[in-house]
């Protein structure tokens, strides 16, 4: 019996050369949400890997949508430009299609990076207010979220739309919307 793993697949008009997809992997190495040289190395290895598509790590749609200070974002012109440089290189040198996961941390945000324990940021660490469907914290010790109303939900919806448009402008062909938080 032949495997379909190495056969082409078309999804919503995007044809993949095989069925290997590299999932998004948070690097927590952004500066002010901007991709760095670390991201260039990380992303380009997957662009040339032989996978059909790779997904760029979860990228926040607004500043308060980050989990940590090191989270990638796609909500400013500077972030779009920094990531665009890397996507252009991936398209120039690689064969894999480029995707991105966009998301919002909700009540899970304003935390230290995982290798520093992942706990909520202290007052001296430049924390931000988190939002959620209620004022119930993510877990014990986490900050109490500001409950979202219709206006807040509309703002976040527009932030997702704006980030998807930014992704399209820089040549990203596939957008995955992360809605867990």
């Amino acid at each position: 019996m032949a495997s379909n793993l190495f056969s082409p697949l078309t999804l919503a008009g995007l044809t993949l050369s095989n069925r290997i997809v590299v999932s998004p992997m948070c690097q927590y190495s952004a500066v002010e949400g901007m991709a760095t040289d670390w991201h260039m190395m990380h992303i380009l290895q997957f662009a040339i890997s032989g996978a059909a598509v790779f997904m760029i790590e979860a990228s926040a749609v607004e500043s308060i949508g980050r989990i940590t200070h090191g989270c990638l974002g796609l909500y400013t012109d500077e972030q779009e430009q920094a990531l665009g440089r890397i996507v252009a290189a991936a398209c120039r040198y690689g064969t894999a299609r480029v995707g991105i996961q966009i998301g919002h941390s909700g009540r899970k945000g304003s935390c230290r990076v995982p290798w520093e324990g992942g706990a909520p940021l202290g007052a001296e660490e430049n924390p931000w207010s988190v939002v959620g469907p209620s004022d119930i914290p993510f877990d014990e010790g986490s900050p109490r979220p500001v409950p979202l109303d219709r206006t807040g939900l509309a703002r976040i919806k527009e932030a997702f739309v704006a980030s998807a448009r930014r992704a399209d402008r820089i040549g990203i062909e596939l957008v995955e919307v992360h809605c867990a938080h």
Side-chain angles (χ1 to χ4, degrees):
M1 183 182 305
S3 169
N4 287 327
L5 183 61
F6 297 105
S7 62
L9 176 68
T10 300
L11 301 168
L14 180 65
T15 299
L16 306 179
S17 59
N18 59 56
R19 296 164 189 230
I20 300 171
V21 177
V22 178
S23 298
M25 293 173 267
C26 290
Q27 298 298 295
Y28 304 105
S29 298
V31 176
E32 299 296 324
M34 287 183 281
T36 65
D37 288 344
W38 172 260
H39 292 93
M40 177 71 83
M41 294 185 309
H42 177 73
I43 289 169
L44 287 183
Q45 72 177 324
F46 298 118
I48 64 171
S49 69
V53 65
F54 69 90
M55 302 298 293
I56 296 171
E57 69 188 89
S59 301
V61 299
E62 65 175 355
S63 178
I64 66 166
R66 296 171 296 154
I67 295 172
T68 74
H69 284 295
C71 288
L72 196 61
L74 194 51
Y75 51 88
T76 70
D77 292 344
E78 295 80 13
Q79 292 163 349
E80 181 180 340
Q81 182 181 4
L83 189 57
R85 176 179 75 91
I86 296 169
V87 170
C91 292
R92 185 169 45 252
Y93 299 115
T95 57
R97 309 305 281 266
V98 182
I100 191 169
Q101 182 185 79
I102 58 174
H104 195 290
S105 65
R107 64 188 186 142
K108 189 179 178 182
S110 198
C111 294
R112 293 184 187 105
V113 294
W115 54 87
E116 292 175 357
L121 295 171
E124 70 288 351
E125 296 175 289
N126 196 22
W128 53 92
S129 294
V130 297
V131 298
S134 72
D135 68 348
I136 299 171
F138 177 67
D139 59 14
E140 193 173 317
S142 289
R144 188 167 299 283
V146 174
L148 288 165
D149 57 13
R150 289 189 185 278
T151 302
L153 288 170
R155 185 195 78 243
I156 292 173
K157 175 184 172 186
E158 287 307 311
F160 271 93
V161 170
S163 289
R165 287 184 175 137
R166 287 180 184 279
D168 182 56
R169 279 196 300 263
I170 61 174
I172 293 173
E173 300 176 274
L174 174 67
V175 175
E176 176 183 79
V177 178
H178 186 278
C179 295
H181 307 306

